[in-house]
């Protein structure tokens, strides 16, 4: 970027998509670390230094806010810096970079010699986003936490910005769609919450669902309050979808439970066609709820799997505490989550193609990041699980004898799982015939 002598704006866009411009100190810096390895040898003076490329770039900056609202603006800037995830720095000299605020955030308010001026010092560190190298499970879990928190903020804001409530007719149509779709959401989420094995957790979840339902019904019960509470309504609906996401049930059962709720939401659209004016409001409500269900399903399955592996917890019989038996099982669940995202995408594409409204795509992009982070954590989980193996028997075998050969002293504990996985008949339980293919994990 050529220097022209003009003042160029500096700005930071947070992980949630909020952009804030700021003035800056005249002394601007960029620091680039060099990756090297230094080798010394007993009989040789000096050292051999190997160049291993470049490390990260750092941009120390002092953001300056002035005027009567300087302290409020500085506080808002600090909130953006504290969001988890990576953002975009628009540097006045070095251009745009994907960064993460690092180190300490130092704020100064001089109420004597520099009244109405507040500064915030921070170091922006450039980060790689198109990673092709494996990441740790802990890092993948942190990325997922940041992604879903960011998604909830972005999706609720996108909903509020998309709805039409300029007339009484618009508000009535929005009210009608919200009633139908929120009723289906609360019904489906209640059914999911009832699957919680722990009685205390189940009662807590059901109470939370009921409280959120009461809040939403209060907001949408009065037409004149819908537009004012639009973002709050979306936030509640999105958080409702996430409530039972971490209950301890099988991974595929959890995904299928969320898929069932999605089906009801989509059927509401098919069974209740609306006029051209209401398409925008119907899309705003339906896409927000569908996206929330996809995000919750992926987050819940991946988070439970990651937490189980981090704690080293394993159930008996070689099955992970999250219900996964093998790497193939994990990958099948990943496929199911991606299929749910495709269902959401197909609905969104079909509605946008009608050219009745314009969607900025912020919610879509944030949801995609959440799904990718979910799949990435699941894939990290898969490395801790056994591979599926298939063998063809060279002779007739008794089941217990075979299991002891395959699994050693744990063979007997695998009996029920082995019978189910291989769909053994009554005769095969007594004696497996030569030539029979059987599946096991090792």
């Amino acid at each position: 970027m050529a220097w022209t002598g003009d003042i160029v704006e500096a700005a930071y866009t947070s992980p949630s998509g909020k952009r804030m411009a700021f003035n800056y100190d005249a002394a601007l810096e960029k620091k680039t670390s060099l990756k090297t390895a230094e080798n010394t040898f007993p009989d040789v003076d000096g050292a051999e230094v190997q160049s291993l490329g470049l490390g990260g770039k750092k941009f120390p900056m002092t953001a300056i806010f002035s005027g009567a609202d300087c302290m409020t603006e500085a506080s808002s800037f600090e909130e953006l810096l504290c969001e988890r995830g990576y953002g975009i720095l628009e540097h006045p000299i070095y251009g745009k970079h994907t960064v993460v605020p690092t180190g300490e955030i130092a704020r100064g308010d001089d109420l004597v010699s520099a009244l109405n001026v507040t500064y915030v010092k921070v170091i922006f560190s450039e980060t790689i986003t198109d990673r092709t190298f494996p990441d740790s499970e802990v890092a993948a879990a942190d990325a997922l936490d940041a992604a879903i928190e960011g998604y909830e903020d972005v999706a609720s804001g996108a909903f509020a910005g998309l709805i039409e409530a300029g007339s009484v007719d618009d508000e009535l149509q929005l009210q009608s769609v919200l009633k139908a779709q929120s009723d289906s959401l609360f019904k489906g989420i209640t059914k999911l919450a009832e699957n919680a094995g722990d009685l205390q957790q189940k009662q807590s979840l059901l109470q939370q669902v009921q409280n959120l339902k009461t809040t939403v019904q209060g907001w949408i019960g009065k037409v004149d309050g819908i537009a004012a509470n639009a973002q709050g309504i979306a936030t509640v609906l999105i958080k409702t979808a996430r409530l039972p996401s971490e209950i301890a049930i099988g991974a595929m059962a959890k995904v299928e439970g969320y898929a069932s709720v999605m089906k009801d939401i989509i059927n509401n659209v098919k069974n209740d066609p609306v006029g051209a004016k209401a398409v925008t409001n119907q899309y705003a409500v339906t896409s927000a709820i569908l996206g929330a269900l996809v995000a919750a399903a992926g987050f819940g399955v991946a988070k439970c799997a990651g937490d189980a592996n981090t704690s080293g917890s394993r159930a008996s019989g070689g099955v992970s505490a999250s219900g996964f038996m093998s790497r193939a099982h994990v990958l099948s669940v990943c496929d199911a989550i991606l299929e749910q995202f495709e269902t959401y995408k197909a609905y969104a594409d079909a509605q946008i193609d009608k050219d009745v409204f314009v969607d900025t795509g912020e919610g879509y992009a944030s949801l995609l990041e959440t799904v990718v982070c979910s799949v990435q954590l699941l894939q990290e989980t898969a490395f801790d699980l056994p591979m599926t193996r298939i063998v063809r028997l060279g002779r007739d075998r008794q089941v217990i004898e075979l299991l002891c050969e395959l699994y050693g002293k744990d063979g007997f504990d695998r009996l029920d799982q082995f019978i189910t996985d291989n769909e053994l008949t009554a005769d095969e339980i007594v004696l497996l015939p030569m030539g029979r293919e059987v599946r096991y994990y090792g």
Side-chain angles (χ1 to χ4, degrees):
M1 181 183 295
W3 174 251
T4 62
D6 298 326
I7 299 298
V8 181
E9 182 178 71
Y12 174 65
T13 302
S14 70
S16 65
K18 299 173 185 176
R19 182 180 182 275
M20 188 169 185
F22 55 87
N23 294 324
Y24 47 89
D25 187 79
L28 296 172
E29 293 182 87
K30 177 177 73 171
K31 299 179 180 180
T32 304
S33 60
L34 301 175
K35 294 189 294 184
T36 59
E38 185 175 291
N39 303 307
T40 59
F41 308 94
D43 299 325
V44 178
D45 293 336
E48 176 194 54
V49 181
Q50 293 177 297
S51 176
L52 303 177
L54 300 178
K57 296 183 177 68
K58 296 183 183 295
F59 305 93
M61 296 201 72
T62 300
I64 302 174
F65 302 93
S66 57
D69 296 327
C70 65
M71 298 178 73
T72 301
E73 291 176 356
S75 296
S76 298
F77 186 64
E78 285 183 284
E79 290 178 4
L80 298 190
L81 296 177
C82 291
E83 289 184 14
R84 297 179 65 173
Y86 56 80
I88 303 296
L89 171 66
E90 298 172 44
H91 198 283
I93 296 179
Y94 306 116
K96 285 188 177 182
H97 295 272
T98 303
V99 298
V100 173
T102 57
E104 296 180 337
I105 300 172
R107 173 169 170 171
D109 296 277
D110 191 337
L111 302 181
V112 178
S113 60
L115 188 62
N116 288 345
V117 175
T118 298
Y119 69 83
V120 177
K121 292 183 178 181
V122 64
I123 297 175
F124 293 102
S125 298
E126 188 177 37
T127 181
I128 299 172
T129 57
D130 54 343
R131 293 173 294 185
T132 57
F133 49 86
D135 206 345
S136 72
E137 194 170 315
V138 173
D142 288 344
L144 176 57
D145 287 337
I148 196 164
E149 292 295 339
Y151 167 73
E152 291 179 352
D153 289 340
V154 171
S156 59
F159 171 85
L162 185 60
I163 63 168
E164 292 184 354
S167 67
V168 174
D169 284 343
D170 290 337
E171 291 177 329
L172 286 171
Q173 290 165 344
L174 177 58
Q175 182 188 51
S176 176
V177 174
L178 276 169
K179 282 183 176 179
Q181 298 294 46
S182 63
D183 283 348
S184 291
L185 173 66
F186 285 113
K187 180 181 177 181
I189 293 303
T190 298
K191 187 176 180 180
L192 265 170
E194 289 174 343
N195 291 323
D198 182 84
L199 181 59
Q200 186 175 358
Q201 181 190 34
K202 175 181 175 179
Q203 292 174 339
S204 175
L205 285 173
L206 292 175
Q207 185 61 55
Q208 290 180 69
V209 173
Q210 184 58 47
N211 291 342
L212 293 176
K213 182 178 180 180
T214 301
T215 300
V216 168
Q217 288 178 335
W219 276 335
I220 66 179
K222 299 179 181 179
V223 171
D224 57 359
I226 289 181
N229 295 310
Q231 188 158 351
I233 292 172
T235 299
V236 170
L237 294 178
I238 291 169
K239 289 187 178 298
T240 298
R242 185 175 161 186
L243 273 179
S245 64
E246 296 185 68
I247 59 175
I249 61 175
M252 190 60 78
K254 186 179 294 184
V255 174
E256 290 173 349
Y258 273 102
S260 177
V261 186
M262 290 180 65
K263 183 178 179 180
D264 290 341
I265 296 297
I266 293 175
N267 283 340
N268 286 343
V269 177
K270 295 178 180 178
N271 298 331
D272 183 26
V274 295
K277 283 195 66 180
V279 169
T280 304
N281 286 334
Q282 189 178 68
Y283 170 79
V285 176
T286 304
S287 62
I289 294 178
L290 287 178
L293 292 168
V294 175
F299 171 82
V301 173
K303 193 66 177 174
C304 288
D307 288 346
N309 279 4
T310 301
S311 65
S313 178
R314 285 289 183 272
S316 63
V319 181
S320 74
S322 56
F324 291 121
M325 297 177 293
S326 68
R327 298 179 188 180
H329 189 193
V330 174
L331 296 180
S332 67
V333 172
C334 289
D335 289 341
I337 292 171
L338 293 174
E339 185 177 339
Q340 286 189 352
F341 178 78
E342 287 301 318
T343 300
Y344 159 85
K345 180 177 180 294
Y347 168 78
D349 289 344
Q351 300 305 308
I352 293 172
D353 285 345
K354 295 178 181 179
D355 292 330
V356 178
F357 58 89
V358 176
D359 188 353
T360 62
E362 291 178 331
Y364 174 91
S366 186
L367 175 60
L368 177 59
E369 181 180 358
T370 303
V371 170
V372 169
C373 288
S374 298
V375 171
Q376 183 182 5
L377 179 53
L378 284 168
Q379 290 173 339
E380 291 289 336
T381 299
F383 290 113
D384 294 323
L385 293 169
M387 295 179 63
T388 303
R389 300 181 185 274
I390 298 176
V391 296
R392 184 184 296 273
L393 302 179
R395 57 183 175 86
D396 293 348
R397 302 293 297 270
Q398 292 183 336
V399 175
I400 297 299
E401 172 204 358
L402 178 61
L403 286 174
C404 289
E405 179 182 314
L406 297 176
Y407 292 115
K409 64 180 181 180
D410 296 326
F412 186 78
D413 294 333
R414 309 281 189 127
L415 179 58
D416 292 340
Q417 176 190 324
F418 186 79
I419 292 173
T420 301
D421 291 346
N422 291 283
E423 299 179 349
L424 300 187
T425 65
D427 290 339
E428 288 175 331
I429 293 174
V430 176
L431 187 68
L432 288 166
M434 181 178 67
R436 174 69 150 91
E437 285 189 347
V438 294
R439 178 191 305 266
Y440 74 102
Y441 308 105

